Amino acid sequence: MTKLEILKNDIKKLGNLAVAFSGGVDSSLLLNVAADVLGENVLALTVKSPYMSLREIDEAAQFAKFYGIRHEIFEVGIVDEIKLNPQNRCYLCKKAVFSRLLARAKEIGFTNLADGTNKDDLGEYRPGLKAKEELGVLSPLVNLRKFEIRELSRELNLATADKPSYACLLTRLPHEKEISVDELNLVEAAENLLIKSGYENVRARLDDRKMKLQMPFSSMQSFLSDVKFKSIVKELVALGAAEVTLDLKGLREDVLI
């Protein structure tokens, strides 16, 4: 059996499946395959919160609509446990949010909830996985590497196949400091501006309105020589950044605590 056939067989055995759907490459593949196998017995649940990019939520909604998949956008505020952005934020957040997603799924008749965790995630420091394991959230993609998920996505002609990976906006802010919705909005606006300007794989780290931009080394020269460079920086300042710097160490993975 091919890896796609194995995945379809595993999902088929579940009978029904609610998918925690971010619109990223992993959850998009999972949702698409689940819908193909289970038909109407599939539900996409997307979390909307101050720390989730509206751009990604819109993209998730468009994906579900394009494939005719039942989709709910589930609103969640900043839960009390993470208001100070603690070191174990990801565990606390996942425990609170996935508990609510499970309750909603069961409320409308779904006995299984899954997310897009893949094999590569298991080799990283991701305590949020512990929270999902404790709650019984399934991970049907756990035997697939990230590059394999992208390959299968291309095989299925999914627009998300080469989409960069993003984490929630809280990863752009320092730990042990009260979360500011205004700062989250600034981060989102800054990254949207850069993406619109052609720099898709970018992070805008923020600390006391001091913004540090991270992008791959391959993008830095283009950014610095871009005819729009000065206007981009001016617009970032106009959005609310007190100062803007470029991190010469390049783009690094978001810290998922």
Side-chain angles (χ1 to χ4, degrees):
M1 295 177 71
T2 67
K3 291 181 178 181
L4 181 58
E5 289 171 337
I6 293 171
L7 177 61
K8 287 184 175 182
N9 190 52
D10 289 343
I11 292 174
K12 186 176 182 180
K13 293 175 182 177
L14 298 174
N16 67 75
L17 188 64
V19 176
F21 180 50
S22 67
V25 58
D26 302 320
S27 62
S28 292
L29 175 68
L30 175 59
L31 181 63
N32 181 266
V33 173
D36 181 50
V37 173
L38 298 175
E40 294 182 356
N41 293 320
V42 169
L43 169 69
L45 288 173
T46 298
V47 173
K48 180 180 181 181
S49 76
Y51 50 86
M52 302 303 293
S53 167
L54 289 176
R55 181 190 72 257
E56 292 191 80
I57 293 170
D58 288 343
E59 290 172 357
Q62 291 169 14
F63 185 96
K65 182 178 181 180
F66 182 82
Y67 289 101
I69 300 169
R70 183 179 176 184
H71 184 216
E72 286 192 13
I73 296 177
F74 193 84
E75 294 207 28
V76 177
I78 299 174
V79 296
D80 289 340
E81 296 92 330
I82 67 167
K83 284 186 176 179
L84 295 178
N85 206 12
Q87 293 287 336
N88 62 341
R89 173 201 65 232
C90 196
Y91 172 82
L92 297 172
C93 178
K94 290 290 190 295
K95 195 67 177 283
V97 171
F98 274 81
S99 292
R100 297 182 187 183
L101 291 180
L102 275 166
R104 176 56 184 158
K106 290 178 180 178
E107 181 183 354
I108 50 182
F110 285 81
T111 54
N112 302 295
L113 175 68
D115 78 324
T117 298
N118 64 63
K119 191 172 185 177
D120 289 342
D121 295 331
L122 303 182
E124 299 175 0
Y125 180 60
R126 292 176 180 253
L129 296 180
K130 183 174 183 290
K132 291 183 283 189
E133 290 171 2
E134 290 172 354
L135 293 169
V137 176
L138 306 175
S139 298
L141 303 182
V142 76
N143 293 316
L144 295 173
R145 304 288 297 272
K146 189 76 171 188
F147 78 90
E148 293 174 316
I149 290 171
R150 292 192 184 279
E151 287 177 351
L152 290 178
S153 297
R154 292 188 195 100
E155 183 180 326
L156 296 173
N157 295 315
L158 301 185
T160 52
D162 296 308
K163 184 176 181 178
S165 298
Y166 293 103
C168 83
L169 298 176
L170 291 177
T171 61
R172 320 297 200 267
L173 304 180
H175 287 302
E176 311 303 338
K177 180 181 176 182
E178 187 169 1
I179 295 168
S180 163
V181 174
D182 286 343
E183 289 187 345
L184 291 172
N185 291 340
L186 173 54
V187 168
E188 181 176 11
E191 293 187 358
N192 285 344
L193 170 63
L194 289 158
I195 290 170
K196 185 178 178 181
S197 300
Y199 303 95
E200 193 172 52
N201 199 6
V202 67
R203 301 290 186 275
R205 310 289 183 190
L206 195 67
D207 189 358
D208 287 330
R209 299 277 168 171
K210 295 177 182 179
M211 184 176 292
K212 181 183 291 185
L213 303 180
Q214 292 180 345
M215 59 183 64
F217 290 112
S218 58
S219 299
M220 286 185 189
Q221 186 60 49
S222 297
F223 180 59
L224 293 173
S225 60
D226 194 326
V227 294
K228 305 186 298 293
F229 174 74
K230 288 185 178 180
S231 63
I232 291 173
V233 173
K234 285 182 180 179
E235 191 162 348
L236 291 172
V237 172
L239 287 171
E243 61 180 57
V244 180
T245 60
L246 180 62
D247 189 343
L248 297 182
K249 291 180 289 186
L251 178 65
R252 296 178 296 286
E253 291 295 320
D254 295 295
V255 180
L256 300 179
I257 299 300

